């Protein structure tokens, strides 16, 4: 891997059974590694899951209506700004900042009118969702509204715990 004059930014997501103190830190000349978020999920040993790595792109003013997912995961904002409202709190997310969504908790999210909201995420989902959307809208009327977000799936792989 090489970078340009301004360097490179590499996101690494790990699924480990017990958090390690070093989290497999990368080392080397001019290489810096920082743990941004550590989140716990209850996964049953022996059960099969789907690990999805994708990117979600919302244009300025784009909204992800109140929704849930069938599994949890970590997201990281790549570009723009993003607002996430869940469990009665609103969070403003800036580039490079991660957040965790448990899955069953309803989430309302949007990009402000003047900036896009582009983020990557890794979710642990039921295997039945391979190649399918994991989103469910809380309000039935939102399911039929136009959706401005675009998804790019990079990996949709079965895993066993």
């Amino acid at each position: 891997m090489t970078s340009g004059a301004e360097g490179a930014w590499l996101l690494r997501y790990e699924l480990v059974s017990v958090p390690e103190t070093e989290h497999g830190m990368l080392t080397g000349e001019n290489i810096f590694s920082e743990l941004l978020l550590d989140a716990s999920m209850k996964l049953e040993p022996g059960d099969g899951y789907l690990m999805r790595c994708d990117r979600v792109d919302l244009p300025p003013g784009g909204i992800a209506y109140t929704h849930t997912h069938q599994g949890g995961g970590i997201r990281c904002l790549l570009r723009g700004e993003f607002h996430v409202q869940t469990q009665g709190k609103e969070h403003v997310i800036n580039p490079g900042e991660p957040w965790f969504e448990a899955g069953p908790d309803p989430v309302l999210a949007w990009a402000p009118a003047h900036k896009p909201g582009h983020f990557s995420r890794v979710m642990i989902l039921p295997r039945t969702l391979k190649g399918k959307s994991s989103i469910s809208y809380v309000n039935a009327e939102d399911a039929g509204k136009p959706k401005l977000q675009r998804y790019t799936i990079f990996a949709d792989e079965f895993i066993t715990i």
Side-chain angles (χ1 to χ4, degrees):
M1 177 184 293
T2 60
S3 67
E6 295 182 17
W9 189 32
L10 172 71
L11 293 176
R12 190 175 73 196
Y13 296 86
E14 296 179 343
L15 179 62
V16 295
S17 59
V18 177
E20 302 168 15
T21 54
E22 294 295 319
H23 287 275
M25 295 291 208
L26 297 173
T27 58
E29 185 177 337
N30 294 322
I31 296 175
F32 305 96
S33 182
E34 178 183 358
L35 175 65
L36 298 178
L37 181 64
D38 187 1
S40 296
M41 295 177 61
K42 184 166 174 60
L43 301 174
E44 296 299 325
D47 286 353
Y49 294 93
L50 175 71
M51 181 183 283
R52 175 172 295 158
C53 177
D54 65 357
R55 177 181 165 134
V56 181
D57 295 299
L58 276 85
I63 185 169
Y65 298 102
T66 305
H67 64 280
T68 62
H69 290 280
Q70 293 183 47
I74 293 177
R75 290 103 166 106
C76 185
L77 191 67
L78 303 171
R79 187 169 148 237
E81 183 178 300
F82 207 56
H83 296 249
V84 177
Q85 190 176 69
T86 187
Q87 297 181 336
K89 296 179 183 172
E90 182 179 328
H91 306 275
V92 178
I93 313 292
N94 293 298
E97 293 181 358
W99 72 99
F100 177 76
E101 291 182 17
D105 297 332
V107 173
L108 172 65
W110 64 94
H114 63 287
K115 290 183 181 179
H118 303 310
F119 63 91
S120 72
R121 68 181 173 189
V122 173
M123 295 187 292
I124 306 300
L125 302 165
R127 286 184 171 214
T128 56
L129 291 178
K130 185 167 180 80
K132 299 176 185 173
S133 176
S134 66
I135 198 168
S136 296
Y137 293 97
V138 172
N139 303 311
E141 64 271 13
D142 289 341
K145 291 180 181 175
K147 309 299 184 294
L148 299 177
Q149 63 263 43
R150 298 291 172 250
Y151 304 95
T152 304
I153 296 178
F154 298 110
D156 219 15
E157 300 295 328
F158 292 139
I159 61 170
T160 303
I161 304 301

